[in-house]
Amino acid sequence: MDSSQYERLKYLISRLVSYIHDYARETRLSMAEWETAINFMTEVGQKCTKTRQEFVLFSDVIGLSLLVDALDHPKPKGATEGTVLGPFHTDDAADTSNGGDINSDPDGDPLLVVGKVLDMKGRPVEDVAADVWETDSHGFYDVQYANRDGPHGRAILHTNANGEFWFKGIVPVSYPVPVDGPVVSDPIMIQSARLTERSGGLSSCHGNHPYRPAHIHFLMEKDGFDEYITALPLRGDPYEPHDPVFGVKASLVVDLGKVDQATAQKYNVKSGIKLPEHEFVLVTNEEAAALRREEAEHVLGSDVDRPVPAGK
Amino acid sequence: MDSSQYERLKYLISRLVSYIHDYARETRLSMAEWETAINFMTEVGQKCTKTRQEFVLFSDVIGLSLLVDALDHPKPKGATEGTVLGPFHTDDAADTSNGGDINSDPDGDPLLVVGKVLDMKGRPVEDVAADVWETDSHGFYDVQYANRDGPHGRAILHTNANGEFWFKGIVPVSYPVPVDGPVVSDPIMIQSARLTERSGGLSSCHGNHPYRPAHIHFLMEKDGFDEYITALPLRGDPYEPHDPVFGVKASLVVDLGKVDQATAQKYNVKSGIKLPEHEFVLVTNEEAAALRREEAEHVLGSDVDRPVPAGK
């Protein structure tokens, strides 16, 4: 660890200690309550495995994952918004040619996904690696099956000279976040998180449930551009207004169109199948760094460079 | 869970979410840093066993255990101060008559402990159960031995009509908090916590180490009195000024006196052995509740009864 990393870590821990102490003082935390919290954290840690990260789920349902994404990957107006990565990304998706079929689930409702990637000036961006993943027709990702023999429902596409990528998949379906662990074993966690994030109190929570609306994940990478983590929820999903991990943003919701004759011919698919289309507008590293610094200065003022800069 | 408990839990979680979000915003937490924190918490949870509680250690080294004790068991001026329970209390200590020998370690330096328990008006309190525990001569508690066959170095004494209790033991020794887990695997955690708690910056941290100064634990219970958790560190211990869990309070440090002839006769021990003596002043439930409420009102103002009272 170099000295600036060390200073940064010391700063993070010192502030954490200060915040935790302030929280305990304000809430007049009792010993019994703190013991309950310690037992909860212990259970959360012990629920984690190689394919199950219960602390990520905790972070997701309290809205922190989304906040940290917004802090670390700020988006200027006009850029595509980011959202939660979720726990189901893997590093073994196969490079796939445009038009490839990423999902072999025969029970799925077939769809064609057409994306176009632009920069902030509206210019197509070529050779973006678009890592995509989605559920099968039962609402499970491949990693949730004990007998997984390789990647299913995921692939890495590359944009062409027009900034386009496209692939065949199935219509993803809504699914519950894991409910067999300490984080969502009781609806209180979700309710309380929601109370904090949204106004309206308990009455707005009648829709509490662990279901994420159906969506397709995208992780886009290209040298010179800020890493892009986003997901497109499908309009009309009954759970779309009440995502338990706060991952839905209005600008990301896509319509499930239908492939017409011309599009069917162009992409060599059957006409009539479902068609989500989306334009992704990426920001460069410089644009992201400048905005990150601007926001940090807004919060930290002249302390922005003490003890270490927030930007990279 | 009754409805007031439910309201209290909702309040605690809502405020927690708010504090965590504020912390992330102020520190401009990055995704990589948050992932490091998630991995840390996961390791902490997975280090826990029936006899090892790494989250309690975390709470101890960031000074939170001590703070929660102070919030939940406030002490008026004149009362004996509380301190950390630590992870080594058990529920199987044997009821022992005054004068009993609680520690069979033949390598230990023998001592006589003489305590007197008073209420805030200076009146002796009879029949207080004083649960005591201490290390052996190697700095270990009995629960730290894999082949533990029952309680050693611990017992429950009862005060007589004069409020007195006494027992034979050995001089406890300093010992490191567990250093083989994620919490104290690196000195940064202790350093940073100390930076927050004490002024003086890094220069005051040259003495960083994982050693708790030698001390004897006391947990005192009697109907009508607030549960009493405290510990007496021995004056002169080299680690006394730098306890890694902030458990030392000046009023609790005891001198290791020596048993004179008269005392030796009175308590039927050899003269010349070590003698810590202490007067414990306990507070009643009513005194503690009144002070807890007063402090909560000071912090919460008219919100003290919304959403639920902090007192019991």
Side-chain angles (χ1 to χ4, degrees), chain B residues 249-261:
Chain B
K249 294 181 176 177
S251 69
L252 297 174
V253 179
V254 290
D255 291 298
L256 263 190
K258 277 192 182 175
V259 170
D260 61 19
Q261 286 290 355

Side-chain angles (χ1 to χ4, degrees), chain A residues 211-223:
Chain A
Y211 281 84
R212 294 215 63 200
H215 58 275
I216 305 168
H217 288 277
F218 299 84
L219 191 161
M220 299 197 186
E221 292 184 291
K222 163 145 179 135
D223 279 353

Side-chain angles (χ1 to χ4, degrees), chain B residues 55-66 84-87 244-246:
Chain B
F55 271 117
V56 168
L57 180 60
F58 176 72
S59 168
D60 287 353
V61 303
I62 66 171
L64 186 62
S65 304
L66 202 65
V84 288
L85 177 67
V245 304
F246 309 99

Side-chain angles (χ1 to χ4, degrees), chain A residues 268-287:
Chain A
N268 191 28
V269 296
K270 284 187 188 165
S271 69
I273 69 171
K274 300 296 193 322
L275 171 66
E277 284 182 288
H278 201 70
E279 271 189 5
F280 298 87
V281 180
L282 307 193
V283 299
T284 62
N285 285 330
E286 288 70 25
E287 288 164 340

Side-chain angles (χ1 to χ4, degrees), chain A residues 10 15 27-28 47 49 73 92 94 105 108 114 117 119-120 122 145-146 154 238 243 246 248 254 265 279 287 310:
Chain A
K10 260 184 12 194
R15 295 304 297 142
T27 60
R28 320 310 297 171
K47 191 73 188 177
T49 65
H73 300 287
D92 67 353
D105 181 352
V114 177
V117 182
D119 68 13
M120 286 290 289
Y145 290 98
R154 61 182 79 235
D243 183 5
F246 309 99
V248 173
V254 290
Q265 271 194 318
E279 271 189 5
E287 288 164 340

